[in-house]
């Protein structure tokens, strides 16, 4: 089980929210996308993608499907 800690306002997530709203997506879609982005961030222990190596993105769907 993944534990979530309240994240302070993230500039990255605010940009994502702005883009989603600009494109006219529903509020439920916005919340779902932000949820999955946060899960991805926490799954990788808040590491920046540049420091994770090439194959890390491949492991996320497998880990969540178990």
């Amino acid at each position: 089980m993944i534990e979530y800690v309240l994240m302070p306002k993230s500039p990255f997530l605010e940009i994502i929210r702005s883009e989603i709203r600009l494109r006219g997506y529903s509020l439920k879609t916005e919340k779902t996308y932000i949820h999955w982005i946060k899960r991805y961030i926490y799954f990788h222990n808040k590491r920046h993608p540049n420091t994770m190596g090439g194959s890390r993105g491949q492991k996320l769907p497998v880990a969540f499907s178990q």
Side-chain angles (χ1 to χ4, degrees), residues 1-5 35 38-39 42-43 45 63-64 66:
M1 185 170 148
I2 298 174
E3 282 190 41
Y4 292 99
V5 178
H35 170 78
K38 284 181 180 181
R39 284 188 70 157
Y42 278 103
F43 179 81
N45 298 317
F64 286 143
Q66 296 176 355

Side-chain angles (χ1 to χ4, degrees), residues 3-4 6 12 15-16 18 36 48 50-51 54-55 57 59 61-62:
E3 282 190 41
Y4 292 99
L6 290 177
F12 171 71
I15 291 169
I16 299 296
S18 295
W36 280 105
H48 193 278
N50 291 342
T51 64
S55 65
K59 296 179 184 176
V62 173

